[in-house]
Amino acid sequence: MISARVRQWSSLLAIVLTIISLKAEGASVGITFLQDAVAKGAVCLDGSPPAYHFHEGSGTGVNNWIVHIEGGGWCEDVETCLSRKKTDLGSSKLMVKQFGFSGLLSSQQKSNPDFYNWNRIKVRYCDGSSFTGDAVDPANNLFFRGHRIFEAIVADLLAKGMKNAKNAILSGCSAGGLAAILNCDKFRALLPATTKVKCISDAGFFIHAKDVSGGQHIESFYSKVAKLHGSVKNLPASCTSRMGTRPELCFFPQYVVQTMQTPIFFINSAYDSWQIKNILAPSAADKGKAWKSCKLDLKKCTPAQLKVIQDFRTSFLLAINRAGVLNSPSKGMFIDSCHAHCQIGKQITWSSDSSPVVGNTKIAKAVGDWYYERSPVRKLDCPYPCNPTCPKVDSESALDG
């Protein structure tokens, strides 16, 4: 009897300690639905309210804020948007109620020393346009309201204390990293003038490049997204005003970043796995499937394919350079040669014994040094396959983008 009770209490204690440990790690953070945003038309593709996960800051970080936008690709036509609204990338009704925080959002001082005690927010992505759209398709009951969602979430966070922010960062991964670029100056304008505001884009620097067939697959794709969602009017005016009859090209960071006013930092691979699969060698441009194995594992590429991939890296670096990243004191970068996509949201790539190293620096330290201006940070890796600290395999999830 006593032994059974001891086992029962031991099990209960183990559960309690696990919960405490999870909370300490920031590993499980509850969801907040913005019900009031629905009346403003700020809704997901299916009309459900937008949502985010919020872990409150403490101590010296109580007036510091990170607003991080998740990734998940885009929908470019009615068919793909109708499919998307049946997932958590189009409906908050289908989102998990708890979300694990790691990497940049970790609450562990040891692994995230510069940001562990900040207010940390993970914004859920449910509009399919990197928070740029503002249109409706009544016939198909689709709502393209990304722009309104972004403004509604920022307004809600301002009311919850971000109006007193001393420091604020807008960040994101993949499609969220693109959203952080496209909405960076807007975020700066919505916060008090006294707040120090910077932005971070992780795997969001998608380049305007031709595919392996010589076609413009990604240009056509982004043009469809912009047209369907009514995005052009919400892309940065500092870019669209310069693009003449092609304002939709301001979906590409290389044209936007040139005229950005707010400091921004780029974490990207020059061999970004999503870009190799979807910009360089999309299935539509590879009918014979010659690139099928190579684009998933660079070790399986032929010498001719590796030459094309090295040329893609050259195009990526040229786009970064033309965007003014290399010669602007307010911009920084960490460009590695890992076959990867999104590196700041996972502890293993953010700050661990297995994290990629460029110039004797890991990503977490590079971001912290840049944000706090401890030193200029422009880390550029040598060409693939030179870096032994890169993870052995790409950890990209199927929906990242």
Side-chain angles (χ1 to χ4, degrees), residues 199-236:
C199 301
I200 300 170
S201 173
D202 177 18
F205 203 100
F206 300 96
I207 66 169
H208 187 197
K210 291 182 178 180
D211 58 50
V212 290
S213 72
Q216 294 279 5
H217 176 78
I218 192 65
E219 178 187 299
S220 173
F221 179 82
Y222 276 160
S223 293
K224 290 176 183 176
V225 173
K227 183 176 180 181
L228 179 70
H229 290 260
S231 298
V232 167
K233 60 184 174 290
N234 295 316
L235 296 175

Side-chain angles (χ1 to χ4, degrees), residues 30 40 44 53 77-78 90 103 156 163 189 251 260 267 301 304 308 310 358-360 383 396 401:
K40 303 172 187 174
C44 299
H53 302 259
D77 54 34
V78 169
D156 190 67
K163 65 179 181 295
F251 246 98
M260 281 180 60
I267 300 103
C301 298
V308 173
Q310 297 294 8
V358 178
N360 297 316
E396 174 192 355

Side-chain angles (χ1 to χ4, degrees), residues 3 51-52 54 68 92 99 216-217 219 226 308 367 374 386:
S3 177
Y52 60 74
F54 180 11
H68 182 79
S92 62
F99 206 101
Q216 294 279 5
H217 176 78
E219 178 187 299
V308 173
V367 172
R374 294 190 285 250
C386 71

Side-chain angles (χ1 to χ4, degrees), residues 157-299:
L157 295 174
L158 287 169
K160 288 179 176 173
M162 196 164 68
K163 65 179 181 295
N164 301 316
K166 292 180 180 176
N167 295 283
I169 292 173
L170 178 66
S171 65
C173 144
S174 195
L178 177 59
I181 297 169
L182 299 179
N183 289 289
C184 181
D185 283 345
K186 185 182 302 174
F187 183 69
R188 160 69 280 179
L190 291 169
L191 268 74
T194 53
T195 306
K196 177 180 177 179
V197 177
K198 296 189 177 186
C199 301
I200 300 170
S201 173
D202 177 18
F205 203 100
F206 300 96
I207 66 169
H208 187 197
K210 291 182 178 180
D211 58 50
V212 290
S213 72
Q216 294 279 5
H217 176 78
I218 192 65
E219 178 187 299
S220 173
F221 179 82
Y222 276 160
S223 293
K224 290 176 183 176
V225 173
K227 183 176 180 181
L228 179 70
H229 290 260
S231 298
V232 167
K233 60 184 174 290
N234 295 316
L235 296 175
S238 60
C239 176
T240 56
S241 63
R242 296 184 297 110
M243 299 305 286
T245 60
R246 303 295 306 281
E248 71 277 6
L249 291 179
C250 292
F251 246 98
F252 290 103
Q254 64 204 73
Y255 306 122
V256 175
V257 175
Q258 294 174 16
T259 53
M260 281 180 60
Q261 300 299 307
T262 309
I264 186 164
F265 192 87
F266 299 97
I267 300 103
N268 231 101
S269 168
Y271 305 89
D272 184 283
S273 56
W274 192 95
Q275 295 199 49
I276 288 173
K277 283 193 288 189
N278 297 283
I279 295 181
L280 180 62
S283 298
D286 182 34
K287 301 294 186 183
K289 299 186 177 180
W291 283 80
K292 185 177 180 182
S293 297
C294 168
K295 66 184 182 180
L296 297 176
D297 183 351
L298 300 188
K299 295 187 190 70

